[in-house]
Structure formats: C-alpha cells, structure tokens
Amino acid sequence: MSEDNFHYGGQAVLEGVMMRGRRHMVTCVRRPDGQLALSSEPLSGVFTGRLRKWPLLRGIIVLAEAMVLGMRSLMFSASVALEEEEEKPSGSSNAYLWAMVAVALVFAVALFFLAPLFLARLINTGDSSLLFNLVEGLIRIALFIAYLKLISLMPDLKRVFAYHGAEHKTVNAYEAGVPLEVAPVANYPKAHTRCGTSFLFVVVVIAVVVFALVGRPAVWLMVLSRIALVPVIAAISYEITYFGARHRDSALVRWVLAPGLWLQSLTTREPDDRQLEVAIAALKKVVEMEETA
C-alpha cells in the first residue's frame, strides 16, 4: 500500500463488530431475531484532523480514539442486544460514556503501571536501579499476560473474541484484495499486526525502557512518573506498531512482532459464518461510505 492509503481497522463488541474508516465509523450487530443492525456516523475532527498524522502525537490520539469510539460502539451493541436500539446517544448516555472511559483508564493505570511498582518494592533488589526496573517490568508483563488469560476464560467474552477474530479475518482479506464474502474471508488468519492486543504488549515492554531511564527516585516521584509518562509510552509504542505493520514482510520485524501476535491467541477465537457476515457487513458499509463521501 502507498503512504496515502488508509488502513481500516475495528473492534469487537457484543454480538458485533465496529469498523473505522478515514472519516466514518460503522458498527454492525446481530439482533436477537437474527437480523443485522447497522449504526454509522461521521468521526469527530479530533480523530480525523492533521494532528492524527503527526508522529508521536498520533499515538496519543489513537489511544483516546480507541477508548471513546470503542465504548460508544459497545453501548450501541448492548442496546441492540436488549432490543432498545438508539440511533444517537443522549446527553445522559454521553456522560455515562465518558465516565466509563475514565473508569477504564484509571483501572488500566492502576493495574498495569502502579501495581507492578508496589509489588516490585516487596522484592529485595538491593540498591540496583536497573534490577528494580527490570523486576517491575517483568511483573508488569506477567500481570498483562495473566489478565488476558483470565478474561479469555470468561464464557461471556468468548463470543466477543470470536467477533474479534472475524474482524481480523475480514480486514486481512480486504487488504489482500479478495472479495468480501464469507468463504474466502474464512481462509485468512485471525491475527493482525495492528491489533490492540499487540499494541498493548508493546506498551508494557516500552514501559520497562522508559521507567529505567527515570531511575529509582523517591516513591512519590516514581508513582507520578508511572502516571505522567503513560501518554509518552503510548506514543512511542504506536510508532513501533505502525512501523511494524508497514514492514511486516521483513523477517526481523516479524520476529519482533511475534510475541504480540502470539498473545492474540488469547483474545481471538475462530468465528463462525454468521459472525463473519457481521464483520463483512460492517467493513462493506464503511468502505461504501468512504467512497461516496
């Protein structure tokens, strides 16, 4: 693909898939009666403007976008599942959306950035700043893998992970130029280099390097650094993921990306034909909107 070509991507939701285009977002969900419900909307200029093209800054914008758009799509899918579909969120639902985003962000920072710090302090690493940060990093990686493994065992999430696999297969097929039909799409892998799971794994690894540079100052400074440097780590991690996705034919890049692709085995499952239909419908719709805009 050329530099100007846009890479479609998405996210699995309850009984459905969200697909994001350059200027539009489409969420497709299967209703309880088996029919498909589609929700489409233009994206805010915050997520489509020039700032999204700036290296490093775009990583922070993409992270915020993933949380906001993902939560909005999740709310739509939940309303469809309860047969209470709403075309546009109300003021109260918008407030609820932002509250959920804030809670999710606080939880992620507490679990993956602060908890490893305090757990590492329980281990005797002597006066070595390097050893302390290495132990903290290993704890962070272990917590991340354990968290993915734990949620992969939850029955309610297994179908969501199947839709995650359907989303990846559909995007892989589209990027390969094959027709967006169930049979050919089913042959494509359920892992993708631009997956959020791979991105988060890069985040926890890059955090080891960044926090090592901070050293081992007073506890309150370490806590502050674990919070304040999250956007910096996200920005660096996005650039690495972005570079890897554009150079995935390189043997070295494939080797570096391999752990993240392996972890996707925990967050994706093989979809059935009906789940593939949903992902295909979402991508077809957003491509159509992009081409006619």
Side-chain angles (χ1 to χ4, degrees):
M1 289 188 179
S2 69
E3 187 71 23
D4 294 331
N5 281 357
F6 180 80
H7 295 280
Y8 289 90
Q11 177 179 320
V13 293
L14 298 174
E15 293 300 324
V17 171
M18 179 271 282
M19 289 289 188
R20 185 213 190 275
R22 188 187 299 272
R23 294 174 295 274
H24 302 86
M25 176 182 76
V26 172
T27 304
C28 183
V29 180
R30 192 172 292 281
R31 299 178 183 272
D33 63 6
Q35 300 299 310
L36 298 184
L38 281 167
S39 171
S40 58
E41 59 181 282
L43 295 175
S44 165
V46 175
F47 302 136
T48 60
R50 293 183 178 180
L51 292 181
R52 202 177 188 276
K53 298 181 180 180
W54 288 17
L56 295 179
L57 183 58
R58 60 190 172 191
I60 300 173
I61 295 175
V62 167
L63 181 61
E65 171 192 293
M67 297 185 68
V68 173
L69 299 187
M71 194 66 68
R72 188 178 298 168
S73 298
L74 188 60
M75 291 178 66
F76 170 75
S77 68
S79 69
V80 171
L82 296 173
E83 299 183 325
E84 298 174 353
E85 179 181 349
E86 297 179 1
E87 288 299 323
K88 294 183 179 180
S90 64
S92 60
S93 63
N94 274 327
Y96 179 74
L97 168 66
W98 284 106
M100 289 294 290
V101 169
V103 170
L105 185 58
V106 170
F107 173 78
V109 171
L111 179 61
F112 299 120
F113 290 90
L114 297 183
L117 170 63
F118 289 106
L119 289 174
R121 284 175 53 82
L122 300 177
I123 300 174
N124 182 14
T125 56
D127 297 326
S128 174
S129 173
L130 178 61
L131 181 58
F132 176 82
N133 283 284
L134 179 60
V135 169
E136 181 191 354
L138 292 175
I139 292 174
R140 181 173 294 108
I141 293 172
L143 280 176
F144 179 64
I145 296 175
Y147 173 79
L148 293 183
K149 181 61 177 178
L150 181 63
I151 64 174
S152 72
L153 300 176
M154 299 173 65
D156 291 343
L157 284 180
K158 288 183 178 180
R159 287 190 61 80
V160 175
F161 289 162
Y163 278 105
H164 191 193
E167 177 236 322
H168 284 181
K169 282 175 174 280
T170 303
V171 172
N172 281 327
Y174 176 79
E175 293 179 344
V178 305
L180 289 179
E181 300 172 357
V182 171
V185 169
N187 294 324
Y188 280 80
K190 60 183 180 67
H192 197 285
T193 52
R194 295 196 307 275
C195 175
T197 304
S198 294
F199 168 72
L200 291 176
F201 180 73
V202 175
V203 166
V204 298
V205 173
I206 294 301
V208 177
V209 179
V210 172
F211 294 146
L213 297 176
V214 174
R216 194 176 179 181
V219 175
W220 71 270
L221 280 175
M222 286 194 290
V223 170
L224 182 60
S225 70
R226 270 51 175 179
I227 299 173
L229 291 176
V230 168
V232 176
I233 294 168
I236 297 172
S237 300
Y238 178 80
E239 295 304 320
I240 293 174
T241 304
Y242 183 80
F243 178 85
R246 301 185 71 85
H247 298 84
R248 54 190 172 186
D249 292 334
S250 165
L252 177 60
V253 170
R254 288 199 303 270
W255 181 81
V256 171
L257 296 178
L261 294 174
W262 173 81
L263 283 176
Q264 290 180 43
S265 64
L266 299 177
T267 61
T268 60
R269 296 172 65 88
E270 281 294 332
D272 59 30
D273 289 354
R274 286 166 57 84
Q275 291 164 332
L276 286 173
E277 287 174 358
V278 172
I280 290 170
L283 184 55
K284 280 184 174 180
K285 181 63 176 178
V286 76
V287 169
E288 175 188 336
M289 295 180 69
E290 294 292 303
E291 291 177 347
T292 57

